[in-house]
Amino acid sequence: MKYESVIGLEVHVELKTKTKIFCGCSTEFGAQPNTHVCPVCLGLPGSMPVLNKEVLHYAVKAGLALHCDILPFSKFDRKNYYYPDLPKNFQTSQYDLPICLNGYVDIEVGGKTRRVHLTRIHMEEDAGKLVHSGASIDTSDTTFVDYNRTGVPLLEIVSEPDLRSGEEARAYLEKLRSIMQYLGVSDCRMEEGSMRCDANISVRPVGSDKLGTKTEIKNINSFSGVQKGIEYEAVRQAQILDEGGTIQQATRGWEEAKGITVLQRVKEGDADYRYFPEPDLIPIEVSKDYIEQVRAELPEMPDARRQRFQDELGLPEYDANLLTLEKQTADYFEDVVKEGIDAKTASNWMLGEFAKKLNEEGVTADQAPVRPAALAGLLKLIAKGTISGKIAKKVLPEMWSSGKSADEVVKEQGLVQITDTGAIEEIVKSVIAANPQSVADYKAGKKKAIGFLVGQVMKQTKGRANPGVVNQLLTKNLE
């Protein structure tokens, strides 16, 4: 390639606290507009903020998991700007003394590991939400403001410009989400806005160490959107440079439907937010004892769990990677294995039929109506030969919709596998008699013809015949 991309991400992670960062209002998603508000988060005169101690706890926890330095002394600052969704006309954030500095995240793309360094992690409050009557502010007659989200606690995780492709950026985000979920500090539901990303991207000639002019893609809320937006923007910038043009420093938006970035505003330079220390909040002092106390709370992280699945359970690296990407999936898998199910068998179903149902329903493993013990019960019926794997694929959806156990579904629908060789052999003989051409093809050396005959036997038995027995009996009767 003539150019390489240089990418840094600013990721906003909404913390999973019950109340907001500086007041007692609920952080619950989906409430009626402007019902989770009070004088503090609305910035009314005379109201005073108080830091939610759980926000500090989560920030330190995240910083330790991401290998950051935890500053013993940090403070809040006022970031001043006007926008309708910001009732105070400033955002309470952290500027020169954030809670965490440095750190890193290791990602794997294409069999290679890249270390993405972090600049900082800081605590801040979220803004409100504008609801336009049209598709955008330009096409809207009216705009409403919902302040429920105002004051919801955020961590902003800022990376160094270490990423080189949209694929790497996606892998970084997926890893970051995984770590936050394992820690229990955020659910990272991008569709609800609890994880959002701004991508800074520039291109430069391959081999150059000089940074190009960057553009920023704001508020991308899907992994595919991040990857596609970066890939589009890299091509757009490269084409401008090839044509002898210059890149404007600008903020752009990602339009998913069109697959393009669009200009939102041109930046002449860095914004001056006139930061100054927040006078209504005391500085934060974190002791070494407190840091070690939080460190002791850290759970097994995704990389360690993935390695354990390979070493102790004998799973292939591919399976272990997919199973540990989301904590809910890894927890569910381990619960199935604890029921006495072979790890590889459990993995095959978790990544196959079970994952298919999760995707269809749009839920995570912990929300699935079929609980681990119930899935294990289904897999035990296969192991005992009571049902075949093919029949099990029909049983799982019924378990999902009815809440019944595998045993109940199999008995009610008469799905017990036929293992009586005598009964199966009678059907085999009738199928052979009814399909002379396939028999002739098989005897002429076309061994694949037996597959058609197997299918006919399975059709007559409604999938209940043991496939191994069917194959054996067909082979025997065709000789």
Side-chain angles (χ1 to χ4, degrees):
M1 291 179 62
K2 186 176 177 182
Y3 299 100
E4 72 169 358
S5 302
V6 180
I7 304 151
L9 300 184
E10 299 170 12
V11 180
H12 289 87
V13 175
E14 187 177 288
L15 297 179
K16 200 168 64 175
T17 56
K18 292 182 179 179
T19 56
K20 295 182 180 181
I21 187 169
F22 300 123
C23 66
C25 290
S26 171
T27 57
E28 183 184 3
F29 178 80
Q32 289 296 310
N34 298 308
T35 54
H36 291 171
V37 293
C38 73
V40 174
C41 53
L42 291 176
L44 299 184
S47 61
M48 294 290 286
V50 177
L51 175 62
N52 181 340
K53 65 180 182 180
E54 197 69 1
V55 174
L56 175 63
H57 185 194
Y58 284 173
V60 173
K61 201 172 185 180
L64 291 173
L66 296 173
H67 316 285
C68 295
D69 300 321
I70 310 300
L71 268 63
F73 182 92
S74 63
K75 63 180 175 65
F76 282 101
D77 301 275
R78 291 188 179 184
K79 179 180 180 181
N80 296 277
Y81 67 95
Y82 171 76
Y83 205 68
D85 63 6
L86 199 68
K88 298 184 295 187
N89 289 337
F90 66 84
Q91 179 188 30
T92 305
S93 182
Q94 292 190 296
Y95 180 48
D96 56 330
L97 291 173
I99 187 64
C100 306
L101 287 176
N102 306 316
Y104 63 86
V105 176
D106 288 334
I107 61 171
E108 290 184 16
V109 175
K112 296 181 179 179
T113 299
R114 179 182 289 279
R115 176 158 292 183
V116 183
H117 295 87
L118 304 181
T119 308
R120 59 189 280 148
I121 301 175
H122 62 260
M123 301 176 286
E124 64 183 20
E125 62 181 345
D126 207 346
K129 182 179 180 181
L130 298 183
V131 183
H132 307 301
S133 60
S136 69
I137 192 169
D138 298 325
T139 59
S140 299
D141 296 324
T142 56
T143 296
F144 299 94
V145 187
D146 180 6
Y147 287 125
N148 279 348
R149 199 172 66 184
T150 302
V152 168
L154 299 176
L155 289 185
E156 181 170 347
I157 304 171
V158 183
S159 82
E160 292 289 304
D162 290 342
L163 297 159
R164 294 292 176 266
S165 69
E167 186 181 9
E168 287 187 357
R170 178 173 185 156
Y172 168 78
L173 278 178
E174 289 177 341
K175 187 68 170 289
L176 207 55
R177 180 185 69 168
S178 182
I179 291 170
M180 294 299 108
Q181 288 180 337
Y182 270 70
L183 293 173
V185 303
S186 176
D187 56 34
C188 293
R189 290 177 182 151
M190 297 186 82
E191 71 279 4
E192 294 182 3
S194 58
M195 186 177 183
R196 309 189 294 276
C197 174
D198 298 339
N200 294 295
I201 175 172
S202 63
V203 297
R204 65 186 179 191
V206 172
S208 172
D209 60 0
K210 183 180 178 182
L211 295 175
T213 302
K214 68 181 180 181
T215 58
E216 181 183 35
I217 310 175
K218 292 287 286 186
N219 288 327
I220 318 172
N221 62 358
S222 72
F223 294 130
S224 63
V226 170
Q227 181 171 350
K228 292 175 184 176
I230 287 171
E231 289 170 348
Y232 174 87
E233 187 61 17
V235 172
R236 187 190 72 85
Q237 291 187 22
Q239 288 176 341
I240 291 173
L241 295 176
D242 279 341
E243 293 167 2
T246 57
I247 307 299
Q248 278 187 314
Q249 185 175 341
T251 298
R252 302 180 69 85
W254 169 246
E255 288 200 1
E256 182 71 40
K258 296 181 180 178
I260 61 173
T261 63
V262 293
L263 180 66
Q264 292 182 334
R265 61 180 182 272
V266 175
K267 288 186 176 180
E268 296 298 333
D270 291 331
D272 180 11
Y273 292 115
R274 296 176 292 112
Y275 283 100
F276 64 85
E278 169 55 74
D280 293 335
L281 289 165
I282 61 173
I284 302 161
E285 293 189 26
V286 179
S287 69
K288 289 183 180 179
D289 287 344
Y290 178 77
I291 293 172
E292 292 309 311
Q293 176 188 328
V294 176
R295 192 190 306 276
E297 298 174 7
L298 295 180
E300 181 183 39
M301 301 308 292
D303 286 350
R305 200 172 200 181
R306 181 185 67 212
Q307 195 60 51
R308 179 167 61 81
F309 281 6
Q310 293 178 70
D311 295 342
E312 296 182 9
L313 300 178
L315 288 181
E317 183 180 359
Y318 177 82
D319 292 40
N321 277 335
L322 292 179
L323 288 170
T324 56
L325 196 58
E326 292 191 353
K327 184 177 184 296
Q328 302 97 316
T329 304
D331 288 346
Y332 191 107
F333 166 75
E334 289 216 75
D335 286 342
V336 173
V337 172
K338 287 175 184 175
E339 294 289 331
I341 303 300
D342 170 71
K344 182 56 180 169
T345 300
S347 175
N348 289 344
W349 272 81
M350 288 285 299
L351 300 177
E353 295 302 309
F354 186 75
K356 180 181 175 183
K357 286 300 297 180
L358 292 179
N359 291 332
E360 287 175 358
E361 301 295 329
V363 297
T364 53
D366 60 319
Q367 298 169 325
V370 177
R371 304 313 304 145
L375 180 60
L378 176 64
L379 301 184
K380 286 176 181 178
L381 291 182
I382 301 173
K384 288 190 293 185
T386 305
I387 59 174
S388 65
K390 187 173 182 179
I391 292 175
K393 292 178 181 179
K394 298 177 181 178
V395 174
L396 180 62
E398 182 63 28
M399 293 170 63
W400 199 283
S401 59
S402 69
K404 295 177 181 177
S405 69
D407 279 316
E408 291 173 315
V409 174
V410 168
K411 287 175 183 176
E412 287 177 6
Q413 298 190 9
L415 297 175
V416 176
Q417 188 168 238
I418 301 171
T419 56
D420 180 354
T421 56
I424 297 175
E425 187 158 21
E426 288 302 314
I427 298 171
V428 165
K429 288 178 179 178
S430 68
V431 166
I432 289 173
N435 296 278
Q437 184 59 54
S438 294
V439 172
D441 289 344
Y442 176 81
K443 291 184 176 181
K446 297 179 182 179
K447 299 302 180 183
K448 288 185 179 180
I450 199 171
F452 173 78
L453 299 172
V454 170
Q456 294 303 302
V457 175
M458 298 305 289
K459 184 177 180 181
Q460 287 198 31
T461 60
K462 297 181 179 180
R464 293 169 55 212
N466 185 302
V469 174
V470 171
N471 271 283
Q472 289 174 7
L473 292 175
L474 275 170
T475 303
K476 170 189 163 186
N477 283 274
L478 286 170
E479 290 177 353

